[in-house]
Amino acid sequence: MGSYATVDWGTLVPVIKDFMDIPTRPNPKLAIIEDDIDIQELICAFFRQKSFQVFPYGDPRALLKDVERGEAQFDAIITDLMLPNLSGIELTKKLRSIGNDTPIILITAHKSSERAIEAIEAGAYDFVVKPIHFPQLQVSVERALHFKRIRNENETLKTAVAIKEGVGMDGIIGRSPGLLKAIDLAKRVSDSSANVFITGETGTGKEVIAKAIHFFGSRSKHPFIAINCSAIPENLLESELFGHAKGSFTGASDKKVGLFEEAGEGTLFLDEIGDLSLTLQAKLLRTLQDRRIKRIGENQFRAVNARIISATHKHLKEEIREKQFREDLFFRLNVIPIHLPPLRQRREDILPLAEFFLKKFAAINGKKIDGFQKPALEYLLKNQWIGNVRELENAIERAVVLCEGGFLDTCDLVLDEFAQIESEVPAAPMPESERSLTSEPAPFFGLVEVETAPLLTLEELTNRYLLFALNRNNGAKDKTARDLGIDRKTLYRRLQEINVQLNMQPRPPTQNEMEPMGVPSSFTQ
């Protein structure tokens, strides 16, 4: 809160110097509202000398209009109290009513405590009395900038903790229709006990939605327990889920309570449920049907009441057709389906997420970074973000750590060393069998518009397309399998059938390989 008492500024030189040394953003934006042109020019000239970006206004309504339209954002506002059409206090109230929290410093010729109290109550940060003492005014502005930065960092860390701990739906950042639809559905089912099945690519935020469902609902006072089913070997995963009795197998030196029991009345989140073995799928199905479990090595059944939320990046209907996932278990889990679109399909969320991650990691690393340069914003929106939100978060964290200026630029987001390493990887010589399949004398994988040309068999065309997808993904088999909608095992089998070496060096797709499929080359740059 600002002060308004008479101050002997001659005794406060050290204090002024301390505030002058407070680090602020490079060239902070300062709006100055003053109808007296001479005074306005004096204030503007003073702050320009201090490396501020100055935006003078003679009419407060013009500033209010710019702010309401989103055409202007300021780090601080200096305004005279007595102005035509709209007083400084009325302007402060209007800005606060539209949610603008920019620090406002009022200047007045009246040394009145009542006026000062009225200004502070209206939402002003400080109150300065004429005649203007410029060192005093500068200290007030520097304090306001420091206060704003601390407040923003505090809000950022609160949001970070909310996301980390899953405190409510407000911790989820984004405004795209796909995400808002998922959040709305999550809110509606948070108080129920129905099983929830979350689908989406890796890194889209499936666990964030699961935590939000738990903490927003009636089970929030009970445990939220998450387990990645693909990260634990099958022989240990059964023990983790259901528990075991002492001596039930080699190494079972003591009894263990399983996660179903540990969750109690809370939530058990089964991530990557599609990687469960068929044996464990059968046991999980029985548990969901009977709502009771039996520890390994025991004959006693124990009732469980945890809510089950499961998630996967796989296409389980394809897994069911491949006999890799039980259809009856799928129907048990898929009571409330929630789908999270990939980040490249909800580009409205990229910049809000990037801004949040920037503030979060700047605060964690003790760095002062205030935003993105325009080329960096263009890069963020153009990039495909195959790793989704997780990839974006990692990119922003790396950029914050490496950034040496006050704003992130493209060079901070894109490491030339990585691009150089990738460009230096030599392409492996292609076997004759593969070369014959991938050579493309015609516009579409060997198909030519000549009546006398022999047609490819369906198997030959399938093989060519499979190799095209593999090469386009630089040899990444998991990504290729997901793009083609098949299981990784199926991909391996098909590659073995066409005599492709599984340890071949990846190579990037050529321009000719991309354009026949309608893939713009700019997407891969």
Side-chain angles (χ1 to χ4, degrees):
M1 182 177 290
S3 60
Y4 52 86
T6 303
V7 179
D8 181 5
W9 289 96
T11 65
L12 292 182
V13 173
V15 177
I16 294 173
K17 184 178 184 302
D18 287 343
F19 280 115
M20 302 304 182
D21 292 338
I22 293 173
T24 57
R25 64 179 288 173
N27 309 116
K29 296 181 178 180
L30 181 63
I32 298 172
I33 311 173
E34 174 61 69
D35 59 330
D36 188 319
I37 300 301
D38 293 334
I39 296 178
Q40 183 189 95
E41 289 180 353
L42 278 174
I43 299 174
C44 290
F46 175 81
F47 281 102
R48 284 195 186 102
Q49 289 181 346
K50 303 299 179 182
S51 300
F52 281 76
Q53 298 181 62
V54 176
F55 299 85
Y57 287 87
D59 188 340
R61 295 176 301 179
L63 178 137
L64 188 62
K65 186 177 181 180
D66 288 346
V67 171
E68 287 178 334
R69 289 180 175 179
E71 297 175 355
Q73 291 184 345
F74 305 106
D75 296 301
I77 297 173
I78 297 175
T79 178
D80 196 2
L81 179 64
M82 302 304 296
L83 292 167
N85 305 314
L86 199 67
S87 72
I89 291 178
E90 291 172 336
L91 172 65
T92 301
K93 290 179 178 178
K94 286 185 177 294
L95 287 172
R96 298 296 180 255
S97 68
I98 62 175
N100 186 284
D101 59 359
T102 304
I104 299 173
I105 300 165
L106 288 169
I107 299 176
T108 181
H110 304 285
K111 188 185 297 184
S112 166
S113 60
E114 289 79 10
R115 276 292 196 185
I117 292 172
E118 183 183 2
I120 300 302
E121 288 180 345
Y125 175 78
D126 206 351
F127 190 86
V128 177
V129 179
K130 294 180 180 178
I132 298 174
H133 191 281
F134 284 99
Q136 174 193 6
L137 184 59
Q138 185 183 357
V139 168
S140 182
V141 171
E142 297 286 359
R143 288 175 57 208
L145 296 176
H146 182 63
F147 167 76
K148 181 182 179 183
R149 188 178 77 251
I150 295 298
R151 181 183 59 196
N152 290 344
E153 290 176 357
N154 184 42
E155 291 175 355
T156 300
L157 291 175
K158 282 183 178 179
T159 307
V161 171
I163 291 180
K164 184 72 176 176
E165 297 181 354
V167 183
M169 302 292 176
D170 295 335
I172 303 175
I173 297 173
R175 54 174 180 263
S176 63
L179 181 64
L180 293 179
K181 180 179 178 181
I183 293 174
D184 177 67
L185 186 55
K187 284 182 178 180
R188 285 189 283 158
V189 304
S190 58
D191 282 326
S192 73
S193 296
N195 296 334
V196 178
F197 187 62
I198 307 173
T199 56
E201 293 182 6
T202 300
T204 50
K206 297 186 289 294
E207 185 168 348
V208 172
I209 291 290
K211 285 183 177 180
I213 293 172
H214 172 79
F215 286 102
F216 197 76
S218 57
R219 297 177 182 262
S220 59
K221 295 181 180 179
H222 300 282
F224 175 89
I225 297 178
I227 182 171
N228 189 324
C229 299
S230 65
I232 302 176
E234 179 183 352
N235 57 333
L236 298 180
L237 184 57
E238 182 179 0
S239 173
E240 284 291 319
L241 291 174
F242 304 109
H244 63 253
K246 180 178 179 180
S248 56
F249 54 86
T250 303
S253 56
D254 202 353
K255 71 175 183 180
K256 176 180 175 59
V257 176
L259 296 183
F260 271 99
E261 292 181 80
E262 251 186 71
E265 299 288 325
T267 300
L268 179 59
F269 176 56
L270 302 175
D271 198 8
E272 300 301 347
I273 191 75
D275 292 326
L276 274 184
S277 68
L278 290 171
T279 303
L280 278 180
Q281 289 178 33
K283 293 185 177 182
L284 177 60
L285 175 63
R286 177 58 62 185
T287 300
L288 295 178
Q289 289 175 340
D290 298 343
R291 307 300 299 178
R292 59 179 188 170
I293 57 103
K294 184 168 64 173
R295 295 178 184 173
I296 299 173
E298 285 188 353
N299 293 321
Q300 176 187 355
F301 283 96
R302 302 170 186 270
V304 292
N305 195 32
R307 180 187 197 159
I308 305 301
I309 301 178
S310 54
T312 184
H313 72 274
K314 292 186 173 182
H315 299 283
L316 286 195
K317 291 185 178 179
E318 178 65 28
E319 295 287 302
I320 292 171
R321 284 194 292 269
E322 295 280 339
K323 305 298 183 183
Q324 297 298 315
F325 200 87
R326 296 180 61 111
E327 187 175 29
D328 47 3
L329 176 59
F330 172 75
F331 290 131
R332 280 283 178 182
L333 296 171
N334 194 37
V335 178
I336 306 291
I338 297 178
H339 178 69
L340 285 176
L343 190 57
R344 60 185 175 275
Q345 292 180 8
R346 44 188 178 104
R347 295 193 175 275
E348 307 97 317
D349 299 339
I350 292 177
L351 294 187
L353 284 167
E355 183 71 22
F356 166 73
F357 291 138
L358 171 60
K359 292 179 180 179
K360 171 184 173 182
F361 291 118
I364 290 173
N365 291 280
K367 304 194 82 172
K368 182 162 177 23
I369 303 174
D370 296 290
F372 297 89
Q373 298 285 6
K374 185 176 179 181
L377 293 175
E378 293 173 351
Y379 169 79
L380 291 173
L381 291 172
K382 180 181 178 182
N383 195 18
Q384 291 301 292
W385 302 115
I386 302 301
N388 295 295
V389 180
R390 186 177 295 125
E391 181 187 358
L392 175 63
E393 180 178 10
N394 292 343
I396 300 298
E397 181 178 14
R398 179 178 65 245
V400 168
V401 172
L402 298 178
C403 181
E404 296 179 348
F407 290 85
L408 291 187
D409 208 343
T410 311
C411 60
D412 301 311
L413 294 165
V414 182
L415 293 184
D416 293 337
E417 290 83 353
F418 289 172
Q420 183 178 359
I421 291 172
E422 291 175 359
S423 65
E424 290 175 355
V425 175
M430 298 175 63
E432 184 64 31
S433 58
E434 183 182 344
R435 191 180 301 117
S436 64
L437 288 170
T438 56
S439 60
E440 291 188 13
F444 185 78
F445 301 102
L447 293 182
V448 292
E449 296 180 1
V450 179
E451 294 182 0
T452 58
L455 290 174
L456 294 175
T457 66
L458 183 59
E459 183 177 3
E460 288 173 336
L461 185 59
T462 301
N463 290 341
R464 291 193 178 191
Y465 184 71
L466 186 148
L467 289 173
F468 161 78
L470 183 65
N471 288 332
R472 181 179 168 187
N473 288 324
N474 294 334
K477 298 179 183 62
D478 279 338
K479 175 69 169 54
T480 301
R482 289 199 301 271
D483 287 349
L484 297 177
I486 60 176
D487 185 74
R488 182 184 172 94
K489 297 176 183 178
T490 305
L491 176 63
Y492 268 79
R493 177 173 53 79
R494 294 303 299 266
L495 290 175
Q496 289 172 339
E497 288 176 357
I498 57 179
N499 298 319
V500 175
Q501 298 175 0
L502 296 181
N503 62 348
M504 71 176 186
Q505 292 284 348
R507 64 174 178 85
T510 65
Q511 182 77 11
N512 291 334
E513 288 173 333
M514 292 185 294
E515 291 180 349
M517 295 305 298
V519 181
S521 58
S522 60
F523 276 32
T524 62
Q525 297 175 1

